[in-house]
Amino acid sequence: MGADLISGIVQTGIFCARNGSKVATGKDTGRIGATAAQAASMTDKVAASGSSIFGGKIAKTASAITEFADKGILKAAEKLGKTEAAQGLVKSAGTNSIFGAVAQKAVNPLLIGAASIRVLSDEDQYAALLEEGCAMSLMFSTEKLMTKSKKAFFKAAEEGVEALSKSTEPGILNSIKNTAKEYIGKAAKSYGGLSKNNKTIANIGIGLLFVAGSICAYSIGKTIGTKLSGRDEK
């Protein structure tokens, strides 16, 4: 099973549990769509893992669900003349199934939908828009940066540090990118020397760091938004 898959299972599992808890307790029922999409994405990842973590029966059940869903999606796509586009989703999303790709791509829009509900439900919608806008923007940009870094890390670990191409163009931004790639390369080299069990622990840790980074980014963004809206003074 791929190292990236293990960290992905950790990330998706925790996000799904957190959002599901908020829906179940009534704190944020608007997250129900994102929770469902994350549960579907988790199902795809469990199916991809085989029996290495969840056991044969669970993995087979997950595979049966994704295969059934894929057939339905392909039938609908065929009627619309979009079969190739539907099949291409797996490659572009890097998932095990079309079902998983659709679910993965749906999460962020559904989270934005949940944020919109929170804004509309707030007495001060202008302040809520500032707060949610800052929180979601910083969270999404941080997650995008972490996803790119994680992909670069696992690529370097698998193919060697040489796989991380550095820019020869001048400029502060390119210099920062090259420095980041240098650190990622060093971390990947250290990771490559770990035993199988220690790599698994590291993969779990990477997943936990991703979750922590996302939560912290949202919290910081919300704090910035609250200051901009002036509600921190109330």
Side-chain angles (χ1 to χ4, degrees):
M1 182 172 56
D4 196 15
L5 181 59
I6 297 175
S7 63
I9 287 172
V10 173
Q11 291 167 211
T12 306
I14 294 174
F15 284 136
C16 184
R18 278 174 54 82
N19 287 324
S21 175
K22 289 177 182 179
V23 171
T25 57
K27 290 181 179 179
D28 192 353
T29 54
R31 290 178 184 256
I32 188 168
T35 303
Q38 286 167 336
S41 182
M42 185 68 178
T43 302
D44 173 76
K45 288 178 172 63
V46 171
S49 72
S51 59
S52 56
I53 291 181
F54 298 95
K57 288 185 179 180
I58 295 175
K60 284 181 181 178
T61 301
S63 293
I65 292 171
T66 57
E67 286 171 11
F68 177 78
D70 275 10
K71 287 178 182 178
I73 294 170
L74 284 172
K75 280 185 180 180
E78 189 178 351
K79 289 181 180 179
L80 296 170
K82 300 291 184 179
T83 303
E84 287 186 12
Q87 292 172 332
L89 286 173
V90 175
K91 185 176 180 180
S92 64
T95 56
N96 180 60
S97 64
I98 302 172
F99 176 65
V102 171
Q104 183 172 291
K105 288 179 179 292
V107 172
N108 284 355
L110 288 168
L111 285 174
I112 292 172
S116 299
I117 292 172
R118 290 195 294 274
V119 171
L120 293 172
S121 301
D122 200 296
E123 291 181 359
D124 189 343
Q125 293 180 357
Y126 174 73
L129 181 61
L130 273 175
E131 292 163 13
E132 290 294 340
C134 289
M136 299 299 283
S137 297
L138 187 57
M139 183 183 76
F140 286 146
S141 58
T142 300
E143 286 182 349
K144 186 176 181 179
L145 178 61
M146 290 191 295
T147 299
K148 284 186 176 181
S149 298
K150 194 172 79 160
K151 285 181 179 178
F153 172 80
F154 284 122
K155 184 178 182 180
E158 185 178 339
E159 301 176 16
V161 180
E162 298 77 18
L164 299 178
S165 58
K166 292 186 178 182
S167 176
T168 56
E169 295 294 322
I172 296 174
L173 186 58
N174 285 326
S175 178
I176 292 172
K177 286 181 179 179
N178 287 338
T179 301
K181 286 180 180 180
E182 188 177 330
Y183 281 109
I184 289 172
K186 288 179 180 179
K189 191 173 182 180
S190 297
Y191 172 87
L194 296 175
S195 65
K196 184 178 179 180
N197 288 338
N198 285 337
K199 280 184 179 178
T200 299
I201 293 170
N203 295 333
I204 293 171
I206 290 169
L208 292 173
L209 282 173
F210 189 99
V211 173
S214 174
I215 294 171
C216 286
Y218 180 90
S219 180
I220 292 169
K222 190 71 178 285
T223 300
I224 293 170
T226 302
K227 288 188 177 296
L228 290 174
S229 69
R231 287 212 280 196
D232 63 324
E233 298 173 0
K234 295 180 181 179

